[in-house]
């Protein structure tokens, strides 16, 4: 059996080589030398940086010492320092800050990779990264999120860190999550973690006020009994990435494979965190890594073991292509590997470009409803397009008869902070005037008055069968998970399209048991 070092070597991890040619689109810019640019040239460079920041939703990566064709030419120490100083001046013009991520050797000197991050001018400009946390029960999901989003202290080995993640009393007693809970982690423009005061846990408002990038963790349930809750969390909250946890002392179990298959079916990029490395014997840990590598290679992915901070930038850069799967070793008790994971979370870019949706008609997908004393009915969810302001009138529906009701928004909250407006890509809580909670349910939507609101009884879909124990034919009744909708449906017609090596592809016509609003192109998952 190969050891961990052998696996990492076989994967050809992070060799120093020339980069791909520069792309005119995206948030990455190559600059060989920026020593003492003229005033006119300086303003051109600032305009160019502004474009890269817009492309990266407030973040840009500059490769200094690199030619436009990707060749690592390099600079001498004085020229590199002067170029970094010019880059810092350019960033200050746009209210941004620069951080040197790493330095590499070029042909004629050193090259530097620099993160440029803009300070948000308003709460609408925050770079919000969504990470769903999945994995088998007892793999340490809640504990890891508690350590990452806490005040900077480690776990005591007896569940101290996970206590802030639990919502219900039975979760505290059993130590197992049964519902989707959220916590946030803030990064400053320089990449420092805002949460870590070393004294007390900051409120969400304190984190939002000081951060320029916010990572929102959705802690999902790991027990088989709550699989539908986990599936709802992966479909309803539109995560950018899925952080799959595997206990080093447990190996890859059945629910680990189940959560991975769901994430891959929904086309959510995955990175792996191997926890409890402090209590796992070396041979058990190596066996676990072997299982993980084999699992992802079977899924046509490239597993990459992150063993040093120098490997983190390249891993973060390659996450966008959904081909590379970084693997981290961490211990929530000793702190081993947590620095690499934090650096990775600081660098990975947002996968979804919400800026393109901000000018479209409003659509808000409801994933939770509750009543607040003195406020009334409150709905929580994600703004899929457009924006919502206090006092705005919207369509609410569909109800049990497939109708939409005209309602008015009373007030809004974003990350537990009162705001006047929420925009596409943000999750918010909205108080609705003169509406009873019994009239609202998960799966409903709030739509702009200019949209033609309607409900559907049936729809057509192409379905890939990953694995199934029963026969799918006319009359079969699966559960359809589509964004915030979770509902029973009946197969009215089924036609086989193709037979692949490991799965069937069917064209189905499904009739729903209840009316619901479905968006064009929404990705669904059927639980049989």
């Amino acid at each position: 059996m190969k050891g961990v070092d052998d696996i990492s070597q076989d994967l050809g991890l992070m060799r120093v080589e020339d980069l791909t040619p520069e792309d005119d689109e995206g948030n990455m810019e190559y600059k060989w030398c920026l020593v003492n640019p003229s005033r006119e040239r300086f303003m051109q460079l600032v305009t160019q940086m502004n474009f890269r920041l817009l492309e990266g939703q407030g973040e840009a990566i500059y490769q200094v010492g690199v030619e436009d064709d990707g060749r690592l030419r390099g600079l001498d120490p004085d020229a590199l320092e002067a170029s970094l100083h010019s880059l810092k001046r350019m960033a200050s013009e746009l209210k941004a800050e620069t951080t040197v991520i790493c330095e590499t050797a070029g042909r004629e000197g050193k090259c530097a990779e620099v993160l440029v991050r803009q300070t948000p001018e308003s709460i609408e400009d925050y770079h919000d990264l969504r990470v769903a946390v999945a994995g088998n029960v007892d793999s340490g999901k809640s504990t890891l999120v508690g350590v990452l989003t806490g005040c900077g202290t480690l776990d005591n080995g007896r569940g101290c860190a996970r206590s802030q993640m639990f919502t219900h009393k039975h979760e505290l007693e059993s130590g197992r999550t049964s519902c989707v809970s959220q916590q946030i982690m803030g990064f400053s423009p320089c990449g420092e973690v805002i949460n870590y005061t070393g004294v007390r846990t900051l409120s969400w408002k304190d984190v939002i006020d000081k951060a320029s990038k916010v990572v929102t963790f959705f802690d999902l349930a790991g027990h088989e009994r709550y699989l539908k809750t986990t599936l709802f969390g992966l479909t309803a909250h539109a995560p950018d990435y899925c952080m799959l946890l595997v206990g080093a002392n447990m190996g890859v179990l059945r629910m680990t494979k189940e959560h991975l298959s769901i994430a891959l079916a929904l086309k959510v990029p995955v990175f792996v965190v191997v926890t409890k490395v402090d209590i796992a014997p070396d041979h058990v840990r190596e066996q676990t890594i072997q299982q993980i590598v084999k699992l992802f290679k079977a899924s046509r992915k490239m597993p990459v073991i992150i063993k040093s901070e120098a490997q983190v930038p390249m891993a973060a850069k390659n996450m966008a292509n959904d081909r590379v799967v970084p693997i981290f070793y961490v211990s929530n008790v000793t702190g081993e590997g947590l620095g690499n994971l934090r650096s990775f979370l600081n660098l990975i870019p947002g996968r979804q470009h919400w800026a393109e949706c901000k000018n479209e008609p409003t659509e808000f997908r409801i994933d939770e409803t509750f009543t607040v004393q003195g406020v009334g009915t409150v709905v929580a969810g994600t703004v899929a397009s457009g924006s919502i302001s206090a006092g705005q009138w919207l369509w609410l529906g569909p109800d049990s008869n497939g109708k939409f009701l005209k309602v008015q928004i009373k007030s809004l909250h974003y990350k537990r902070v009162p705001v006047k407006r929420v925009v596409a890509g943000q999750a918010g809580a909205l108080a609705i005037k003169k509406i009873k909670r019994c009239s609202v349910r998960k799966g409903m939507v709030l739509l702009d008055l200019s949209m033609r609101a309607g409900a559907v009884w049936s729809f057509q879909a192409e379905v890939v069968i990953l694995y199934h124990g029963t026969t799918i034919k006319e009359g079969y009744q699966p559960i359809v998970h589509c964004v915030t909708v979770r509902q029973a449906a009946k197969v009215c017609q089924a036609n086989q399209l193709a037979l692949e090596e490991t799965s069937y592809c069917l064209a189905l016509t499904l009739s729903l048991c209840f009316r619901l609003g479905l968006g064009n192109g929404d990705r669904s998952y059927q639980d049989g």
Side-chain angles (χ1 to χ4, degrees):
M1 181 182 293
K2 292 183 180 180
V4 174
D5 294 338
D6 297 327
I7 298 174
S8 180
Q9 187 176 2
D10 287 349
L11 292 173
L13 186 60
M14 308 306 176
R15 290 190 296 268
V16 177
E17 57 186 13
D18 289 340
L19 304 177
T20 57
E22 184 184 54
D23 191 349
D24 292 336
E25 306 294 333
N27 71 329
M28 184 170 291
E29 180 69 27
Y30 297 169
K31 290 297 177 191
W32 172 58
C33 186
L34 294 171
V35 176
N36 297 326
S38 64
R39 180 61 185 173
E40 182 180 355
R41 175 59 176 162
F42 181 80
M43 295 310 299
Q44 292 175 351
L45 291 170
V46 171
T47 303
Q48 188 180 56
M49 177 178 286
N50 187 46
F51 169 76
R52 294 298 187 182
L53 288 171
L54 290 173
E55 288 285 291
Q57 305 177 64
E59 291 186 356
I61 299 293
Y62 270 69
Q63 302 285 355
V64 181
V66 180
E67 299 277 10
D68 289 344
D69 60 0
R71 193 166 64 96
L72 299 181
R73 183 173 174 181
L75 294 168
D76 61 69
D78 293 337
L80 181 60
E81 184 178 355
S83 296
L84 294 177
H85 179 70
S86 298
L87 193 64
K88 187 174 182 179
R89 286 174 50 217
M90 292 158 50
S92 64
E93 292 287 330
L94 300 171
K95 296 182 179 179
E97 296 190 25
T98 61
T99 305
V100 178
I101 301 173
C102 64
E103 294 184 356
T104 56
R107 290 173 174 80
E108 302 176 11
K110 286 189 175 182
C111 304
E113 184 172 355
V114 184
L115 170 67
V116 182
R117 177 172 292 162
Q118 208 163 20
T119 303
E121 295 183 1
S122 67
I123 203 166
E124 298 175 8
D125 299 327
Y126 277 94
H127 183 193
D128 189 3
L129 190 76
R130 299 160 175 248
V131 178
V133 185
N136 193 72
V137 64
D138 296 333
S139 60
K141 297 183 296 298
S142 300
T143 301
L144 178 60
V145 175
V147 170
L148 290 175
T149 61
C151 63
T153 58
L154 299 173
D155 186 51
N156 61 359
R158 296 186 295 275
C160 175
R162 71 187 180 195
S163 60
Q164 63 176 317
M165 299 298 304
F166 294 144
T167 306
H168 305 291
K169 182 181 178 181
H170 69 85
E171 292 178 331
L172 286 169
E173 295 173 349
S174 65
R176 294 179 175 178
T177 303
S178 63
C179 65
V180 180
S181 60
Q182 302 181 28
Q183 285 295 336
I184 63 173
M185 180 182 187
F187 289 96
S188 70
C190 297
E192 298 176 352
V193 182
I194 300 296
N195 304 55
Y196 298 163
T197 63
V199 180
R200 65 180 181 88
T201 302
L202 295 179
S203 66
W204 282 30
K205 185 179 185 306
D206 293 334
V207 175
I208 292 293
D209 288 343
K210 300 177 182 178
S212 62
K213 177 179 180 177
V214 177
V215 179
T216 303
F217 294 99
F218 299 95
D219 185 23
L220 308 179
H223 198 281
E224 184 179 1
R225 181 187 306 172
Y226 308 115
L227 178 60
K228 290 183 178 179
T229 301
T230 300
L231 184 51
F232 180 81
L234 284 168
T235 57
H237 296 291
D240 291 284
Y241 302 98
C242 176
M243 182 167 68
L244 184 69
L245 268 66
V246 179
N249 60 332
M250 300 163 60
V252 177
L253 302 179
R254 189 170 67 88
M255 289 309 298
T256 307
K257 298 177 181 178
E258 189 79 27
H259 291 179
L260 175 61
S261 65
I262 295 171
L264 295 178
L266 296 173
K267 298 190 182 302
V268 179
V270 178
F271 62 95
V272 179
V273 178
V274 180
T275 59
K276 304 182 181 181
V277 296
D278 55 312
I279 62 173
D282 292 341
H283 70 283
V284 175
R285 183 171 66 174
E286 290 181 5
Q287 185 177 3
T288 299
I289 295 301
Q290 290 278 359
Q291 294 174 350
I292 295 173
V293 170
K294 182 180 179 180
L295 180 64
F296 280 99
K297 283 188 174 181
S299 303
R300 298 178 181 178
K301 302 289 184 181
M302 183 186 297
V304 174
I305 301 171
I306 306 300
K307 301 172 67 176
S308 67
E309 194 165 354
Q311 300 168 325
V312 172
M314 187 63 71
K317 189 188 310 178
N318 288 319
M319 278 297 292
N321 60 23
D322 196 17
R323 170 85 173 126
V324 174
V325 180
I327 302 174
F328 297 87
Y329 301 139
V330 302
S331 169
N332 296 313
V333 176
T334 65
E336 178 184 348
L338 289 175
N340 293 339
L341 182 58
R342 294 189 193 103
S343 299
F344 178 77
L345 293 170
N346 176 48
L347 294 178
I348 50 175
R351 189 172 58 93
Q352 306 179 54
H353 299 283
W354 295 103
E356 303 171 357
C357 305
K358 291 183 179 180
N359 297 324
E360 298 179 2
T362 301
E363 180 182 349
F364 182 85
R365 297 166 175 172
I366 299 174
D367 58 50
E368 191 61 78
T369 66
F370 45 92
T371 302
V372 177
Q373 187 174 3
V375 177
T377 301
V378 176
V379 298
T382 304
V383 185
S385 62
S387 61
I388 301 178
S389 305
Q392 184 175 348
W393 289 87
L394 298 167
W395 290 118
L396 172 65
D399 59 14
S400 57
N401 296 318
K403 304 295 183 181
F404 282 75
L405 177 67
K406 190 177 179 180
V407 298
Q408 187 178 20
I409 305 302
K410 184 191 301 184
S411 60
L412 308 94
H413 276 69
Y414 168 70
K415 304 293 186 190
R416 303 177 185 173
V417 179
V419 295
K420 295 182 179 180
R421 192 171 82 131
V422 290
V423 298
Q426 293 184 335
L430 317 178
I432 304 178
K433 286 185 178 180
K434 299 179 181 179
I435 193 79
K436 294 182 179 179
R437 184 187 176 186
C438 60
S439 303
V440 188
R441 59 182 173 83
K442 296 179 182 179
M444 281 186 167
V445 291
L446 288 165
L447 301 176
D448 193 270
L449 295 181
S450 63
M451 298 180 68
R452 184 179 178 182
V456 298
W457 271 116
S458 62
F459 66 97
Q460 295 180 342
E462 291 186 1
V463 180
V464 176
I465 311 300
L466 301 178
Y467 50 87
H468 206 275
T470 59
T471 303
I472 297 178
K473 59 182 181 179
E474 295 181 8
Y476 178 73
Q477 294 187 6
I479 302 296
V480 175
H481 298 257
C482 184
V483 195
T484 57
V485 174
R486 182 171 63 189
Q487 189 179 127
K490 183 179 180 180
V491 176
C492 300
Q493 184 178 359
N495 297 313
Q496 183 174 334
L497 295 180
L499 177 62
E500 298 181 359
E501 294 180 2
T502 58
S503 61
Y504 288 93
C505 185
L506 303 177
L508 303 182
T509 301
L510 297 107
S511 177
L512 299 164
C513 298
F514 304 94
R515 288 188 178 96
L516 74 160
L518 289 176
N520 186 22
D522 285 340
R523 189 176 299 278
S524 62
Y525 187 92
Q526 296 181 24
D527 181 12

